[in-house]
Each structure stands twice: as structure tokens, then as C-alpha cells.
DNA sequence: TAGATTGTTAATCGATTAACAATC
DNA sequence: TAGATTGTTAATCGATTAACAATC
């Protein structure tokens, strides 16, 4: 079982997306050069990434259906990952309604909320249950993945209940650092942090445009 | 003007979040060691990251309010970034209702959709307008940022209208590679790709548990 | 002062690119 | 065959860690 680095894993969904688009256009093979251009990397990096995933054919490229399948396999898209979601706010509801997840094998079985008025509602065919039942249901259904979309203040407690219920991984959308046993996998997802990166690049660009065009910037350090 | 690498920029929102939490607990200073533990990195990396951001005091650490301010400044959190959002589906609505963005200076002025029934609705105090007006309004309001939350098939066309309207940056949530002029900054955000990383780690862990505990895995290459 | 913690340098590690022989 | 494209090696680049003198 080959172990892929985080850097490679982050590119796999991009490759997948591009291969799928080419397939829809009727292509059967694609070269490393074409994939590389869309990701803004060197073609040799694409070839290196694909070593151990799929063997390419000199003069032809990589076979799209075979490569798609292999990527699906590596990313666990061919399995079903059952998860519970906690926090039926707008972000939670967006995740419940996100079609793309199906492709990635994510199946959210139920949503939990503490708001009485939300209990019993069906959101994208998923029932909202009281958060008091979270630990119990997690255990009974042997759920591995918990998704946290509650407000920051409530996140730690929810995480603890999920851990007590036996989850092995937490996908955390609340902007807090969760304290959980080291064996529990935590992935922090921050939409705001993503925006910050865009905002930084934009500021740099705006600053560049405001400068004399000879490329010599007035640097300011402290 | 110091230029920060992507690796550092990705950590700044985490530092920000941790500093804020400590501040709420009444702390005034924090050490690199404490920040490092939460991010699972070496303390010297934290100190290196903070060079050019804030000077720490030996034996004391970094002054929390000052450091928070500097990070806010770097990430553009002290400015207001006006944006338009296209696609008032569940993800679009979640972004419109996401409180955290306010802190990061993101202000979404209007939402656009092609669905007649959504036009005129108020979502989190933001009006939904017909997508036919997108280019015009982008230009008239001199908007720099467009947010795309439409289905994949529609994303390229929306991107083109935003570009024609003069945006400098696009935050793209649709799982497609957008073709835009090189001067336009594009940040692709994929919730599904984020999940794939969690799913990979989980699979690895499940595999590990299924193996004999002597740590010697049966490796399989092809 | 003594000792904790910074800022900085050197060492290590990992990821990316460049170059090119192998190959279909 | 000729030529395009792979797989792989070596070179480069950048990020992280280790070590430690400076310092308050």
C-alpha cells in the first residue's frame, strides 16, 4: 500500500476533475503536459504523482477511465463513508444538500441540533435529531466520522460526545482548536481562512497596481 | 512590505484563532511553544513565522493584542472587501449567512441567481438579483471579488461575466477549472476535496487497525 | 541573578523542476 | 522509422526542525 503525501493528495481531486471533464469531451487519453497546465505545475510533477497510480503510455499519455478509477480507489470514493452531522444551521444544511459528496462516498445519515424547533425536520432527506441522542446513536450505528457545524462555543462539547460515541475522525468547521485524544483524526476546515488567502493575494495585487510600474517597490519593514 | 509564503499564510488564521481564545481567557502574552503545540509544529517555526509580524519578549512571549492586530492587518481583516455572490443555492445561502466572514472583512453586497422564483428574496439581508444584471452591477459598483456557487456547468460563463465586469479575484466553489485571463486571481475551494483528505487518513487508520500490531504492514505495490 | 524564551543560524527534510534516456 | 511522451535521476528550491547564543 503506497502512502501518498499531503501535497500529492491535495492534487488528486484536481486531476480527477480534469480527467472527468476530458472524458465528457470524448477523450480517452491525456498527457501529463495537459494536466500540468491546468494545475500550474511542471509536467514531470504530474508524472511523478501518477507513479504507483497508473502507468502511462509513451506517445499516448494516461488512460482516462483507468486513471479515474485508481484515483477513486485511493481517495476512498469507491467506499461509502457514513457520517453524522452536528449543527443544522446554514452551513450544516449546505453540507447536507451538497451533491458532490455522493461522488466522494460521503453519506450523512442524520443531523443533530439542540434547537427544539428543528428536531424532526427533514433537510435534504436527512432527519434532524436532538443532540442529546448524539453519543448513543454514534455508538449504535458504529459511525466513524463526525461533522461539526455548530457555533464555536459548542464545538468542544460536541467533539467530546462524538469521541465518546467512538468516532475515529472529525471534520471540524467551527473556528476553534478541538482538544481530542491523539488517535482521533481531526481536519479543520475554515471557509474564512480560505478567504483570507484570496484576500491577501488581492491586496498584493492592488498594492502592485498602485506602485510605479518599474517594479521597484518601496519596501516597508519594521 | 514583507511577502509571506503560502505556508505561513495558511497558519496565520490558526494563530489568530488561538490568540483570540487565550485573550478571552484573560491572557496577555503567549509563548511560541504554546502556539506550536496546537498546530503540531516546532516552536521555532512559530517564531520564524512571527518574524516581521511582531517582536516577542524573551521570558514573556508575544503580546496578544498587538499580534492579533498585526495578523488582522496582514490578512486584510481591517479593510472591507466587497464581493458579489453568484448562485443562491444551499452553499451560496450558507456563505451569505456565515458570520465569521464579517471578521475577515468580507462583505457580500448582493447575490445573483437565474431562478426567477429566487429573484427579489432577501437571504441574510442580502437581495437576490437576476444574473442578467451581474456584469453591469459588478462594473458599476467596481467590485473586485466574485464568489461562484453555481453548478459546475454554469461556472465558466459566470466567471466570464465577472471578468467582463472587472473583478480581480474569483473565489470558486464549483468543481471545475475556470479559464480566465492570467491577471485574474482564482482560488478554488472544494469541500469535497477537503473531505477526501480526511477520508484518506481514516482509511489508512482503519487499514492499520486491521493489520497485525507489530507495525509490519504487508505492502502491496504494482 | 537565574532561567525561560526569543531570534537566528545551520542542518535536515521534503517537494518541485530540469534533463534525458527509454519506449511505443 | 521518427517523434512524442513517459519514467527516472539529479539539481534546485523551499519549508521545517534542531541547536544555541542573546536577552530581559
Amino acid at each position: 500500500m503506497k502512502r501518498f503525501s499531503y501535497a500529492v493528495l491535495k492534487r488528486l481531486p484536481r486531476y480527477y476533475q480534469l480527467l472527468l471533464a476530458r472524458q465528457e469531451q470524448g477523450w480517452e487519453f491525456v498527457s501529463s503536459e495537459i494536466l500540468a497546465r491546468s494545475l500550474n505545475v511542471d509536467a514531470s510533477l504530474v508524472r511523478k504523482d501518477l507513479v504507483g497510480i497508473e502507468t502511462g503510455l509513451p506517445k499516448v499519455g494516461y488512460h482516462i477511465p483507468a486513471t479515474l478509477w485508481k484515483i477513486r480507489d485511493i481517495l476512498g470514493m469507491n467506499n461509502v463513508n457514513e457520517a453524522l452531522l452536528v449543527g443544522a444551521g446554514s452551513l450544516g444544511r449546505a453540507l447536507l444538500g451538497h451533491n458532490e459528496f455522493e461522488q466522494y462516498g460521503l453519506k450523512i445519515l442524520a443531523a443533530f441540533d439542540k434547537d427544539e424547533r428543528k428536531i424532526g425536520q427533514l433537510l435534504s432527506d436527512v432527519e434532524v435529531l436532538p443532540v442529546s441522542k448524539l453519543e448513543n446513536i454514534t455508538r449504535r450505528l458504529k459511525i466513524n466520522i463526525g461533522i461539526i457545524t455548530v457555533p464555536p462555543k459548542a464545538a468542544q462539547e460536541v467533539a467530546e460526545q462524538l469521541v465518546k460515541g467512538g468516532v475515529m475522525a472529525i471534520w471540524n468547521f467551527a473556528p476553534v482548536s478541538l482538544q481530542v485524544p491523539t488517535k482521533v483524526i481531526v481536519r479543520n476546515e475554515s471557509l474564512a481562512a480560505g478567504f483570507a488567502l484570496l484576500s491577501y493575494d488581492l491586496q498584493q495585487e492592488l498594492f502592485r497596481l498602485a506602485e510605479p510600474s518599474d517594479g521597484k517597490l518601496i519596501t516597508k519593514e519594521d
Side-chain angles (χ1 to χ4, degrees), chain A:
Chain A
M1 170 97 67
K2 186 170 158 63
R3 196 64 173 268
F4 294 92
S5 75
Y6 187 74
V8 176
L9 287 170
K10 266 196 316 188
R11 283 190 292 271
L12 292 186
R14 299 287 316 272
Y15 293 143
Y16 186 79
Q17 186 189 97
L18 290 166
L19 290 165
L20 215 52
R22 294 283 168 180
Q23 188 175 52
E24 273 169 27
Q25 286 163 29
W27 295 45
E28 200 184 349
F29 290 88
V30 72
S31 71
S32 57
E33 183 58 38
I34 284 175
L35 293 173
R37 254 200 295 271
S38 292
L39 273 87
N40 255 312
V41 294
D42 197 275
S44 62
L45 180 63
V46 174
R47 295 197 291 274
K48 214 168 219 188
D49 284 351
L50 292 177
V51 165
I53 295 181
E54 175 67 9
T55 307
L57 286 83
K59 246 199 112 166
V60 178
Y62 298 87
H63 188 239
I64 293 175
T67 312
L68 282 170
W69 179 263
K70 295 285 183 64
I71 294 177
R72 290 183 64 82
D73 201 41
I74 292 162
L75 295 180
M77 295 165 74
N78 291 325
N79 313 110
V80 173
N81 286 300
E82 293 179 337
L84 296 178
L85 180 143
V86 193
S90 62
L91 183 55
R93 288 197 298 270
L95 297 182
L96 290 170
H98 199 62
N99 300 322
E100 207 189 351
F101 289 153
E102 200 179 329
Q103 207 177 17
Y104 279 79
L106 172 59
K107 188 168 176 62
I108 303 173
L109 295 184
F112 293 82
D113 205 285
K114 69 166 191 213
D115 184 344
E116 296 271 333
R117 291 164 303 178
K118 289 180 183 164
I119 312 290
Q121 282 185 11
L122 276 186
L123 304 173
S124 306
D125 291 330
V126 172
E127 195 177 355
V128 180
L129 304 172
V131 77
S132 57
K133 292 190 176 171
L134 176 61
E135 184 188 331
N136 217 277
I137 291 179
T138 305
R139 190 179 356 254
R140 269 173 38 209
L141 299 183
K142 297 198 195 326
I143 299 293
N144 285 330
I145 301 175
I147 304 174
I148 298 182
T149 52
V150 299
K153 302 270 187 220
Q156 178 62 37
E157 201 192 326
V158 167
E160 286 166 18
Q161 287 166 350
L162 286 166
V163 169
K164 275 197 256 172
V167 300
M168 297 178 63
I170 292 177
W171 198 14
N172 175 38
F173 286 82
V176 288
S177 281
L178 300 176
Q179 305 299 316
V180 295
T182 47
K183 66 172 196 287
V184 177
I185 299 159
V186 175
R187 180 173 163 86
N188 293 300
E189 200 80 45
S190 169
L191 294 173
F195 173 72
L197 296 173
L198 183 78
S199 161
Y200 180 83
D201 284 345
L202 177 60
Q203 275 185 95
Q204 295 289 317
E205 181 66 10
L206 289 168
F207 182 78
R208 209 183 57 75
L209 291 176
E211 285 296 308
S213 60
D214 65 356
K216 285 232 176 118
L217 304 187
I218 294 136
T219 57
K220 196 176 76 180
E221 313 264 357
D222 54 349

